[in-house]
């Protein structure tokens, strides 16, 4: 079985690339983030001919998550219990959705960016991660294979950014953010990609500007956190850098995990 996560940075802008990638990579389950479409506007007609069912939580021009599955789609749970609500919107945003897909349960997450450590969005980010920790605790401790996959907007270690000095006093690398990730892992989750991915820097995000991708100026912020039942089944994991190349790519690359279940 193959599962994957990808921040597509607008599913409409990336529609042809998404279809091509689904045909080539052939994942059974895909968690998408930053779909940027409304509640009824996901282009399901583009993926259903490939055998995928779609569950999505949309918000229009911002945010948005989805789960695509060709092995069944059940027990869909949109949103985050205990969501602290965005200080900008004054309400919960479209940032997470969970679903059971055949033998596995997945949760697609798009963690708030945080902007700067002094911005109210930063405190919101930490509260949101704490709510996520509470929401996944039961699945993390359960016997059913489970993964929390998506754009965490946090680089777990200094090895996960191209130059730690560049990120001093910035979000994505602060001790508080990394502590929030550690607390999430403490529910029983494992960061499966570093355990098996090839190469020293499996970055997943590169800014569009200044030729960052070609210069290797990346970050690893798209993560697959798995409970023991899923982590034991991992046979391979990698970042699909090819999907970041070419015409009109997302600024993120997909992360793919193969399982033996």
């Amino acid at each position: 079985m193959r599962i994957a996560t990808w921040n597509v940075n607008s599913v409409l802008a990336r529609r042809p690339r998404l279809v091509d990638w689904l045909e080539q990579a052939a994942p059974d389950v895909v968690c998408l983030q930053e779909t940027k479409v409304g509640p009824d506007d996901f282009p399901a007609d583009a993926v259903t001919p490939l055998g995928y069912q779609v569950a999505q939580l949309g918000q229009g021009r911002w945010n948005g998550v989805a789960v695509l599955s060709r092995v069944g789609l059940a027990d869909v749970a949109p949103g985050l219990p205990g969501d602290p609500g965005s200080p900008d919107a004054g309400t919960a945003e479209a940032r997470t959705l969970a679903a059971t897909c055949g033998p596995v349960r997945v949760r697609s997450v798009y963690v708030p960016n945080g902007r700067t450590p002094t911005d109210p969005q930063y405190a919101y980010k930490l509260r949101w991660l704490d709510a996520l920790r509470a929401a996944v605790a039961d699945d993390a401790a359960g016997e059913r294979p489970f993964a929390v996959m998506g754009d965490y907007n946090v680089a777990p270690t200094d090895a996960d950014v191209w130059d730690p000095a560049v990120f001093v006093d910035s979000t994505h690398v602060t001790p508080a953010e990394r502590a929030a990730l550690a607390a999430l892992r403490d529910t029983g989750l494992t960061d499966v990609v570093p355990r098996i991915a090839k190469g020293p820097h499996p970055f997943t995000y590169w800014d569009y500007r200044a030729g960052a991708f070609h210069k290797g100026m990346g970050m690893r912020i798209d993560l697959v956190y798995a409970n023991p039942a899923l982590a034991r089944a991992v046979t391979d994991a990698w970042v699909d850098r090819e999907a970041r190349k070419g015409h009109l790519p997302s600024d993120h690359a997909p992360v793919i995990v193969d399982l033996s279940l």
Side-chain angles (χ1 to χ4, degrees):
M1 183 176 186
R2 175 168 290 176
I3 63 175
T5 181
W6 191 8
N7 179 323
V8 290
N9 190 14
S10 174
V11 70
L12 297 180
R14 239 56 65 192
R15 175 175 173 158
R17 294 189 65 112
L18 174 62
V19 171
D20 288 347
W21 179 78
L22 290 172
E23 290 177 332
Q24 293 169 14
D28 297 296
V29 179
V30 187
C31 290
L32 300 179
Q33 302 85 43
E34 211 170 352
T35 54
K36 295 183 177 178
V37 291
D40 302 313
D41 298 327
F42 190 95
D45 61 329
V47 301
T48 52
L50 303 179
Y52 291 97
Q53 295 175 270
V54 178
Q56 75 116 3
L57 180 63
Q59 195 179 325
R61 295 174 56 205
W62 313 108
N63 308 317
V65 288
V67 173
L68 314 184
S69 173
R70 60 180 188 179
V71 292
L73 192 62
D75 300 325
V76 175
L80 182 64
D83 193 310
S86 167
D88 287 349
T91 186
E93 297 177 315
R95 292 191 173 274
T96 185
L97 180 145
T100 298
C101 306
V104 305
R105 185 158 179 81
V106 298
R107 178 175 285 275
S108 181
V109 295
Y110 179 44
V111 176
N113 179 285
R115 296 179 185 163
T116 70
T118 59
D119 193 287
Q121 282 283 329
Y122 178 79
Y124 162 56
K125 180 179 190 174
L126 297 179
R127 292 194 301 271
W128 198 93
L129 282 166
D130 188 57
L132 177 64
R133 177 195 55 76
V136 306
D138 287 345
D139 281 326
E143 296 182 0
R144 175 174 54 187
F146 170 66
V148 189
M149 305 192 292
D151 179 358
Y152 281 75
N153 270 314
V154 183
T157 71
D158 280 353
D160 296 308
V161 297
W162 67 276
D163 184 355
V166 172
F167 294 90
V168 172
D169 299 324
S170 300
T171 56
H172 294 63
V173 299
T174 64
E177 290 167 287
R178 287 174 171 173
L181 279 193
L184 183 63
R185 293 192 299 270
D186 285 345
T187 63
L189 301 174
T190 300
D191 186 352
V192 302
V193 175
R195 183 167 65 86
I196 200 166
K198 313 299 187 295
H201 300 301
F203 296 147
T204 64
Y205 165 84
W206 301 261
D207 197 291
Y208 285 126
R209 299 167 293 182
F213 179 70
H214 301 288
K215 295 175 182 177
M217 298 161 57
M219 307 173 69
R220 189 176 75 92
I221 57 177
D222 301 86
L223 311 173
V224 178
Y225 278 6
N227 74 347
L230 192 140
R232 286 193 299 268
V234 174
T235 59
D236 204 358
W238 70 98
V239 178
D240 188 357
R241 287 173 51 90
E242 294 300 312
R244 179 59 176 79
K245 300 177 182 179
H247 182 61
L248 294 177
S250 171
D251 45 2
H252 295 250
V255 180
I256 300 174
V257 177
D258 282 343
L259 307 171
S260 176
L261 292 170

